[in-house]
Amino acid sequence: MFTSSDRSTIKPDRSSLPIESAEFTGTIGETYATSEAHVSTPLHAPADSPNVIIMMLDDTGFGHTSTFGGPVHSPTADRLANEGIRYNRFHTTALCSPTRAALLTGRNHHSVHTGIIMELATGFPGHDGMIQKDTASIAETLRQNGYSTAAFGKWHNTPDYEISLAGPFDRWPTGLGFDYWWGFQGGETHQWDPPLYENVTPIERPQDVENWHLSEAMTDKAISWIGAQKAAAPNKPFFLYWAPGAAHAPHHVATEWSDKYRGAFDHGWDRQRELTFDAQKELGVIPADTELTPRPDSIPAWDSCSADEKKLYSRMQEVFAGFLEHADAQAGRLVDAVDMLGIRENTLIIYIIGDNGPSAEGSLTGTLNNMKTQQGYPDDVATMLRVIDEIGGPKHENHYPVQWCWAGSSPFQWMKQVASHFGGTRNPMIMSWPGRITDTGGLRSQFHHVIDFGPTILEVANLPAPTHVDGIQQRPIEGVSLAYTWNSATEPGRHLTQYFEMFGNRAIYHEGWVAGCRHGKLPWQTSGSAGFEDDQWELYNIEVDFSQANDLAAEQPEKLAEMKALFMAEAERYNVLPLDDRFSERADVRLRPSNIAGITRFTYLPGTVRIPEPSAPNTKNVTHTIAAEVDIPDSGAEGVLVCLGGSSAGWSFYMKDGRLHWCHNWFADDQYVVSSDTPIPAGHHILSASIVPDEEGKFGGGGTVTLHMGEEQIGSGRFERQVPFRFTVNETLDVGCDLVTPVAPAYASPFSFTGTIRQVMIDISEATFDELADEVRAKLAMAVQ
């Protein structure tokens, strides 16, 4: 057998992997009777290696779940905490993609090129979103050492310009060490009707399943995978990463869950924060001398709200609570399956309640359309109140207001995005392993960070950190194993220094002290920047000030200067620089690779579907033409010719009731539809729409649309505004149908075209219609030849 030290170098040549022998040692004769076979031993993990399950929720605060004093029932978290131990000084990075990259690699988020979410990546090495091969994932190390590996749910670590069938796929889950993946790409998704992938293949949710929900479906898949894996190889350990979209917006859950909280939040966010604080002290998850930090002046008091606002905001929080409890229940089903298989004793379960603090992205009023709000268009209370009973259902992509987010971060200041304060970076965490962790129901207060899971898992799997993977020298693991905490609540912490940075918000922890600086805009604002030279740093001794309630910067300027210098040293060491708040004049998300940069004319064949928005022509705020070469049968035809987006926003070019239509869906609030004056006759046609904005390049402005059949104008109209930046996070361009959710309310998905599409062309070069028509005719002539 190879020794564990031999496992420190993982190479692609299977002859060097830990199997008993790769050499034939038998005798070769002339027949079976005179020959001796050698049967190779399958690759296997080190003895006593446990199964490992990581369960990570999304956008959930320290003070949300009942396990840590919050108002949302979390029986699964309770169960695992009672069977294991809770951690009350565990930290994330303050944002989705960075936390997940750090979790899966054991290295700081900037070290693995993920200083920001994928959608906002730039060309700087700490922020380009391109996880490199010198920072192999923990899944890859486990996979090459005898583990089965699988991921389910949210994957937010593929650069968005790589999310298409063109690949490359080395930053998809199956390219980063997972044998199998079933889930969605991007930061958020519709929970009732998401764009799904199985490994690298786009798939659709089953349409014949009533009340289908993503959190339930991904749990079904995970349970089936565990069952199949253990049936085929009972002694082979597995590593499973379970990451639902909950509780990230949109908050989607059946009313049976949200109605459990009817009236539970009528006392408002100020009182809820106090109730949570009191419960946290009673449970002992915060020290008895902890101070509750005050509400910032930028967040309104509950008593300042009108009766209508209180009614709406209470319901939004009820839906969030139901959504979060529902996700915890699905985690419980996964744990039950492990119990049923009789493998719980040797399964380490890590339950991370949030990949960052609670989200403030719903604005101060909440919203029915999260993408709309994030692009600077807040919803009004009267409009939302009219559909209050629909909130949480499939018609809206709702998000609660900032004030509830703040309440969910009790007892800390701030929330998601704000890496300078614990409200953005401190999340509840539970570890349970019945065969190893014996201090059941215990609490641990050593300071730790999400990068510490990598070395923890390698330690329990009896594997050293690899020096090489697939022949590539590895950047050292940067975390510290948590396993030492299992035996002692008083063992001194080993994670002594940790930087934090996000959007220019930054902090440094060192041996019980934290210096931090909240930078620039508030986390719910969509624009604005502040110079770094004007930032005001704060200083806290968190050994005696658990909640960062007492700023010591003025009292101890020397200590603050020491900590600021340490931050800069760590920032240089871990690839953090240059600091970028994403909203300064120089911040430009175009400073990164693109497969379509400079291309202005696109041709699509029939059957081309699920092209992500970043890989599709950007028609927003520019003159462009959409054309389809079609054959209409004598019986007529209807259906989508080409579309981009979904029910929350997008555009669609389609036929219905015999006529041609162009629709621009402005965040589900307005649908601007231009239709042909007469039906489209049978025959071969080039159908087109020419869209001309009133002012070229003006974000969100109006314009005119002209429809043509051949060179004949057959309709015209106006749109008064358009989506300025992005339609959705993960819906797509489809030719010949509209998959997932429908752009236009005039039809239901998939609304496949019943005629014949020969090709579709989209032109964003401001070419005239005649030029585009000539090009279509030329291509048609070449095809005929």
Side-chain angles (χ1 to χ4, degrees):
M1 286 289 293
F2 281 67
T3 66
S4 61
S5 61
D6 291 318
R7 294 171 182 268
S8 65
T9 299
I10 303 174
K11 300 177 180 178
D13 181 359
R14 290 186 62 84
S15 66
S16 68
L17 291 174
I19 58 178
E20 288 188 357
S21 176
E23 298 179 359
F24 180 77
T25 59
T27 300
I28 301 177
E30 294 181 355
T31 68
Y32 268 84
T34 60
S35 302
E36 181 181 346
H38 172 79
V39 180
S40 296
T41 302
L43 174 67
H44 57 81
D48 301 321
S49 296
N51 308 301
V52 179
I53 297 176
I54 294 181
M55 306 187 299
M56 183 166 66
L57 303 182
D58 204 334
D59 282 8
T60 306
F62 189 85
H64 269 141
T65 59
S66 58
T67 313
F68 282 76
V72 180
H73 304 301
S74 49
T76 302
D78 288 345
R79 170 185 171 185
L80 292 174
N82 292 333
E83 296 175 350
I85 49 183
R86 287 175 290 186
Y87 289 77
N88 68 349
R89 296 195 187 207
F90 165 77
H91 301 82
T92 54
T93 71
L95 208 59
C96 303
S97 302
T99 290
R100 293 159 195 270
L103 166 70
L104 293 169
T105 64
R107 299 160 177 102
N108 285 297
H109 55 302
H110 293 88
S111 296
V112 290
H113 293 239
T114 315
I116 196 63
I117 57 173
M118 297 295 101
E119 294 83 356
L120 296 179
T122 68
F124 294 109
H127 299 83
D128 63 17
M130 302 179 71
I131 297 175
Q132 301 295 300
K133 294 187 181 299
D134 64 350
T135 54
S137 74
I138 302 304
E140 183 63 33
T141 301
L142 295 176
R143 186 184 69 82
Q144 294 198 29
N145 281 276
Y147 270 72
S148 295
T149 58
F152 298 88
K154 177 174 174 175
W155 185 264
H156 201 192
N157 291 105
T158 304
D160 59 1
Y161 49 83
E162 293 184 353
I163 302 175
S164 75
L165 292 182
F169 299 107
D170 50 349
R171 278 176 280 270
W172 289 55
T174 51
L176 287 172
F178 289 102
D179 297 323
Y180 179 79
W181 172 57
W182 188 96
F184 67 94
Q185 288 274 15
E188 66 185 54
T189 196
H190 201 286
Q191 298 292 310
W192 303 106
D193 205 347
L196 296 169
Y197 294 88
E198 186 170 30
N199 298 321
V200 297
T201 303
I203 60 173
E204 311 304 321
R205 60 147 286 189
Q207 297 300 316
D208 58 347
V209 178
E210 190 174 357
N211 299 320
W212 187 98
H213 191 281
L214 176 58
S215 297
E216 298 173 7
M218 61 174 279
T219 306
D220 292 341
K221 287 287 184 180
I223 292 171
S224 295
W225 181 84
I226 293 175
Q229 189 267 345
K230 285 300 179 184
N235 295 323
K236 185 177 184 180
F238 64 79
F239 172 55
L240 187 147
Y241 174 52
W242 182 86
H248 196 293
H251 302 155
H252 283 163
V253 72
T255 55
E256 65 187 86
W257 292 90
S258 55
D259 283 355
K260 294 170 70 172
Y261 292 91
R262 286 280 186 184
F265 304 107
D266 289 353
H267 49 251
W269 42 75
D270 292 294
R271 180 56 181 153
Q272 182 57 60
R273 191 168 164 92
E274 294 171 352
L275 292 170
T276 298
F277 180 68
D278 292 342
Q280 290 170 332
K281 283 192 174 182
E282 184 175 349
L283 285 171
V285 294
I286 64 174
D289 60 355
T290 301
E291 296 181 38
L292 181 61
T293 57
R295 175 171 37 79
D297 293 339
S298 54
I299 295 178
W302 175 257
D303 289 343
S304 70
C305 296
S306 68
D308 282 349
E309 288 172 331
K310 289 179 178 179
K311 179 180 179 181
L312 174 67
Y313 299 157
S314 291
R315 184 55 182 164
M316 286 181 160
Q317 173 69 352
E318 291 165 9
V319 170
F320 170 83
F323 188 35
L324 181 54
E325 182 181 346
H326 176 259
D328 180 81
Q330 306 318 305
R333 293 176 54 222
L334 191 60
V335 177
D336 288 344
V338 174
D339 273 338
M340 189 174 297
L341 288 169
I343 57 175
R344 181 74 181 88
E345 187 75 8
N346 197 34
T347 299
L348 168 62
I349 297 179
I350 302 169
Y351 194 4
I352 311 166
I353 303 178
D355 57 354
N356 43 241
S359 170
E361 291 148 0
S363 81
L364 292 172
T365 62
T367 183
L368 297 178
N369 189 317
N370 196 39
M371 285 298 293
K372 171 187 171 185
T373 298
Q374 291 190 48
Q375 294 182 60
Y377 301 98
D379 275 316
D380 66 272
V381 171
T383 298
M384 292 187 284
L385 200 58
R386 285 196 292 269
V387 294
I388 188 171
D389 293 333
E390 297 174 356
I391 294 175
K395 292 184 179 180
H396 306 288
E397 300 201 1
N398 49 286
H399 196 333
Y400 64 2
V402 169
Q403 298 88 311
W404 286 119
C405 148
W406 166 74
S409 66
S410 175
F412 303 113
Q413 303 178 60
W414 301 110
M415 61 279 296
K416 177 182 177 180
Q417 299 186 21
V418 186
S420 57
H421 291 77
F422 289 158
T425 61
R426 183 165 289 181
N427 287 89
M429 191 269 286
I430 300 163
M431 302 185 86
S432 175
W433 184 3
R436 177 75 176 273
I437 298 175
T438 57
D439 183 22
T440 55
L443 179 72
R444 298 294 183 267
S445 295
Q446 292 93 340
F447 189 100
H448 277 282
H449 188 269
V450 67
I451 62 174
D452 297 334
F453 290 128
T456 303
I457 293 168
L458 291 179
E459 179 176 342
V460 302
N462 300 306
L463 292 169
T467 60
H468 293 75
V469 175
D470 293 340
I472 298 173
Q473 185 171 345
Q474 295 296 290
R475 183 176 179 131
I477 295 288
E478 294 164 0
V480 175
S481 173
L482 286 140
Y484 76 94
T485 66
W486 298 343
N487 298 320
S488 173
T490 59
E491 180 81 10
R494 299 180 184 178
H495 195 129
L496 303 180
T497 305
Q498 180 62 49
Y499 83 90
F500 299 87
E501 193 278 334
M502 194 67 57
F503 291 115
N505 300 303
R506 54 208 189 275
I508 184 73
Y509 164 80
H510 183 65
E511 297 183 351
W513 290 84
V514 171
C517 171
R518 191 184 68 78
H519 169 78
K521 71 177 188 64
L522 294 166
W524 57 89
Q525 293 175 329
T526 57
S527 62
S529 181
F532 286 98
E533 65 277 3
D534 297 325
D535 286 344
Q536 297 295 314
W537 283 75
E538 301 168 11
L539 179 67
Y540 300 97
N541 180 353
I542 63 169
E543 293 303 307
V544 296
D545 181 12
F546 183 85
S547 62
Q548 296 180 309
N550 299 292
D551 179 12
L552 303 177
E555 298 175 25
Q556 301 200 40
E558 296 85 1
K559 185 65 176 180
L560 178 60
E562 172 191 326
M563 295 291 285
K564 289 169 65 175
L566 179 58
F567 172 83
M568 291 306 296
E570 294 292 284
E572 183 173 5
R573 178 183 181 188
Y574 292 116
N575 218 20
V576 178
L577 305 175
L579 294 176
D580 180 6
D581 68 5
R582 292 283 70 232
F583 295 92
S584 65
E585 292 181 359
R586 294 190 64 237
D588 189 346
V589 297
R590 294 172 296 180
L591 298 174
R592 55 179 175 160
S594 170
N595 291 321
I596 60 172
I599 300 174
T600 58
R601 295 190 179 187
F602 300 81
T603 300
Y604 300 103
L605 299 179
T608 301
V609 296
R610 296 288 293 272
I611 303 299
E613 191 171 338
S615 298
N618 186 2
T619 60
K620 304 176 188 73
N621 318 295
V622 297
T623 298
H624 62 280
T625 300
I626 305 166
E629 182 186 358
V630 301
D631 293 314
I632 307 296
D634 292 339
S635 58
E638 69 172 9
V640 172
L641 301 172
V642 59
C643 68
L644 176 60
S647 59
S648 63
W651 60 260
S652 181
F653 189 47
Y654 64 98
M655 287 186 62
K656 191 173 187 295
D657 299 327
R659 297 175 187 263
L660 181 67
H661 309 274
W662 173 90
C663 172
H664 185 93
N665 175 2
W666 193 84
F667 296 120
D669 281 358
D670 292 312
Q671 284 79 34
Y672 299 103
V673 180
V674 178
S675 304
S676 62
D677 300 326
T678 58
I680 305 300
H684 178 78
H685 305 289
I686 296 174
L687 305 175
S688 66
S690 297
I691 298 93
V692 180
D694 294 335
E695 184 177 341
E696 194 78 21
K698 180 182 179 181
F699 292 119
T704 59
V705 180
T706 306
L707 303 180
H708 288 84
M709 182 174 63
E711 297 185 11
E712 176 188 357
Q713 180 175 321
I714 58 174
S716 64
R718 279 192 58 79
F719 57 93
E720 298 306 324
R721 52 185 176 175
Q722 59 181 306
V723 172
F725 303 113
R726 187 147 181 170
F727 297 126
T728 72
V729 169
N730 53 17
E731 290 215 40
T732 55
L733 182 144
D734 302 315
V735 174
C737 60
D738 186 351
L739 297 179
V740 191
T741 63
V743 172
Y747 58 78
S749 291
F751 201 45
S752 300
F753 186 62
T754 56
T756 299
I757 296 175
R758 298 200 180 191
Q759 62 180 318
V760 166
M761 297 182 66
I762 299 176
D763 180 278
I764 57 174
S765 64
E766 298 186 62
T768 66
F769 169 74
D770 288 342
E771 290 173 330
L772 182 58
D774 287 344
E775 184 171 335
V776 173
R777 294 189 191 97
K779 288 192 174 185
L780 177 60
M782 290 179 65
V784 172
Q785 292 175 1

